[in-house]
Amino acid sequence: MVTPDRTAYDHIRTPILHVDMDAFYASVATRDRPELAGRPVVVGGGSRGVVLAANYVARQFGLRSAMPMTRVRRLCPDVVVLAPDFESFTSVSRSVMEVFRAVTPVVEAISLDEAFLDVRGSARRLGGPAEIAEWLRSTIHDEQAISCSVGAARTVSVAKLASRRAKPDGVLVVDPAEVTSFLHPLDVGELWGVGEKTRAQLHRLGLMSVGDLAHTPVETLRRALGPHLGQHLHDLAWGHDREELAVRAGPHEPERSMGADETFGRDTDDREVIVRELMRLSAKVAARMRAASVVGRTITIRIRFADFTTITRSRTLPEATDVTVEIHRAAIRLYDALGLQRARLRLVGVRVEGLVPRAGAQRQLVLGEREHGWPEADRAVDRATRRFGSAAVRPGSLIGGR
DNA sequence: TCTGGGGTCCTAGGACCC
DNA sequence: TCTGGGGTCCTAGGACCC
């Protein structure tokens, strides 16, 4: 790559790049399927599922991420629905992240399909942000046959908005001098951190655009939205935000919590079904915790009723655990304490919070009070799962279940 | 047959401690 | 005999993100 004459690389004006794959899951799922070219495609499915990704043809029919599948089929009966293949998505994601790291070690991954890059240290070698953006796009396109969009700015949030504006398959550099003229016409709902509820609340206050937000006294916003959010949105409206990235310490930043939940195929009030599902979810979570060498003390269950109202109940144990049976037992206690009789449940979930490395959380063995055997049983399950796959080994209470 | 599944962070009240 | 006050933990809910 030809590098134009440049001085003062440290003062590069838009060093933060936000790279975002276009319709990532849909692009990966269709890249080897030329027969689907020009057809509306969504990734998702299940009778009670939602859209995970919609290609750009599907978007012309109004199909969007998070849209219920029932609505999808109504809006677009000819839609092609593909089941997600997360192994494939993860593998493509790894390759894409390698391309990012070829540009700079300062990469903050946000999800499988997007990341921030700080290219301050790369300018001498690779050129300015716009050139680096084009290099990333062509490299990813050549290697993975998918397109992406890139936003460049001085701050994280403006780079993020810029990549969205650049979609699909484009680049947008927002110079610091242009930040307010870029931001202020946008609807408040465009800001990162403003969802449906906050957007509606702001609109009720007569604050429609980011410019309106910017010209509202910060005290007013703090009173209306809470001190933290009020201050934060006022800052964002002026383009004030993080300029440094949080580079992950390792490939797997330790998670603060791990959980699993599942929507039933049909709502149920059958305790036996619910207890069995809690067992399956507890086993899944505990296995992931053991694989990550973490233990946790706070067990939370989530219940969603047929009318979609959702509650959580949690309990903090005296000792951190990664033992399936202990997590399950806590979950059952929390469930039974609710005293539900005929309430029909749509979803149940189990989550363990307050995770710490197992090495730093030695169990206290007090007077032999711990039942032993269960951790050993879990380890045996883990070994068998590694050898034969997860279908081969299931807790006894799940066998015979539908 | 409206509304998945994986997370993070914030708020707020009460308990408890100093 | 006058209601302080900060910090931390626990619990529940809620908003948001991808």
Side-chain angles (χ1 to χ4, degrees):
Chain A
M1 177 175 292
V2 178
T3 303
D5 180 43
R6 241 164 246 279
T7 56
Y9 292 107
D10 291 345
H11 299 101
I12 181 168
R13 293 168 69 84
T14 59
I16 304 296
L17 266 52
H18 180 253
V19 189
D20 197 349
M21 304 300 122
D22 298 327
F24 180 57
Y25 295 169
S27 303
V28 173
T30 58
R31 61 180 183 171
D32 300 321
R33 308 272 304 263
E35 75 277 14
L36 294 179
R39 300 208 51 194
V41 175
V42 299
V43 174
S47 56
R48 307 184 102 178
V50 299
V51 173
L52 300 179
N55 73 357
Y56 283 86
V57 181
R59 292 184 199 195
Q60 290 178 357
F61 289 88
L63 309 188
R64 294 286 182 274
S65 285
M67 183 178 278
M69 290 306 302
T70 47
R71 180 142 185 248
V72 164
R73 294 182 201 282
R74 213 178 330 125
L75 284 174
C76 184
D78 291 335
V79 67
V80 177
V81 179
L82 301 178
D85 173 3
F86 282 99
E87 281 185 22
S88 150
F89 302 153
T90 302
S91 150
V92 174
S93 174
R94 281 207 194 94
S95 306
V96 168
M97 296 290 166
E98 279 311 303
V99 176
F100 297 163
R101 291 196 186 89
V103 166
T104 170
V106 189
V107 175
E108 180 179 331
I110 300 297
S111 66
L112 283 185
D113 80 311
E114 60 181 295
F116 292 106
L117 283 63
D118 183 337
V119 300
R120 253 175 287 228
S122 320
R124 187 177 298 279
R125 191 162 51 92
L126 298 172
E131 292 154 279
I132 292 174
E134 287 302 349
W135 182 83
L136 285 164
R137 280 158 37 68
S138 63
T139 304
I140 290 167
H141 189 270
D142 291 350
E143 290 185 1
Q144 299 298 331
I146 60 175
S147 71
C148 64
S149 301
V150 183
R154 192 165 54 83
T155 63
V156 159
S157 69
V158 176
K160 169 106 178 151
L161 293 178
S163 74
R164 189 186 302 166
R165 181 54 62 96
K167 277 179 176 297
D169 202 10
V171 176
L172 181 60
V173 179
V174 179
D175 189 85
E178 305 164 334
V179 161
T180 54
S181 60
F182 171 69
L183 288 177
H184 286 191
L186 300 178
D187 185 277
V188 288
E190 298 275 315
L191 291 177
W192 199 19
V194 176
E196 203 183 328
K197 306 283 180 171
T198 306
R199 175 174 187 265
Q201 192 183 355
L202 290 169
H203 279 199
R204 278 197 300 277
L205 293 167
L207 305 176
M208 319 305 279
S209 70
V210 175
D212 295 339
L213 205 49
H215 292 101
T216 301
V218 66
E219 261 318 307
T220 307
L221 296 176
R222 292 168 62 103
R223 268 198 307 277
L225 303 168
H228 190 272
L229 187 59
Q231 181 70 55
H232 183 59
L233 294 189
H234 194 260
D235 289 344
L236 289 188
W238 287 106
H240 299 153
D241 190 25
R242 268 195 312 142
E243 299 178 22
E244 304 294 330
L245 301 186
V247 181
R248 310 281 159 160
H252 300 294
E253 179 88 347
E255 268 129 331
R256 294 174 183 13
S257 72
M258 285 189 189
D261 47 42
E262 176 129 310
T263 299
F264 294 113
R266 54 194 327 179
D267 300 343
T268 182
D269 60 1
D270 183 340
R271 183 175 185 279
E272 209 176 298
V273 171
I274 292 160
V275 165
R276 196 189 303 141
E277 185 63 13
L278 289 172
M279 182 59 173
R280 197 180 67 81
L281 296 169
S282 300
K284 185 174 172 185
V285 172
R288 285 176 51 208
M289 292 174 66
R290 293 191 296 272
S293 299
V294 293
V295 292
R297 285 178 60 208
T298 302
I299 315 296
T300 302
I301 64 165
R302 198 149 81 104
I303 303 285
R304 174 167 293 152
F305 298 100
D307 71 355
F308 220 72
T309 57
T310 307
I311 61 171
T312 61
R313 289 295 180 271
S314 63
R315 188 79 194 169
T316 300
L317 306 176
E319 301 275 342
T321 184
D322 61 3
V323 177
T324 297
V325 165
E326 293 180 351
I327 294 168
H328 183 231
R329 189 152 49 206
I332 297 293
R333 283 208 189 109
L334 289 163
Y335 171 73
D336 282 337
L338 286 169
L340 301 180
Q341 298 296 333
R342 278 204 201 64
R344 298 184 69 76
L345 305 193
R346 180 189 178 87
L347 164 147
V348 292
V350 176
R351 175 164 295 277
V352 183
E353 300 174 68
L355 301 186
V356 294
R358 184 169 48 210
Q362 281 303 345
R363 289 183 172 282
Q364 299 171 11
L365 294 173
V366 183
L367 297 176
E369 66 176 11
R370 280 196 79 77
E371 304 167 67
H372 50 274
W374 290 118
E376 290 73 15
D378 280 346
R379 280 198 289 277
V381 168
D382 294 342
R383 281 194 300 272
T385 303
R386 278 196 296 274
R387 286 187 60 186
F388 305 114
S390 59
V393 186
R394 292 186 297 168
S397 68
L398 294 184
I399 294 170
R402 275 177 300 157

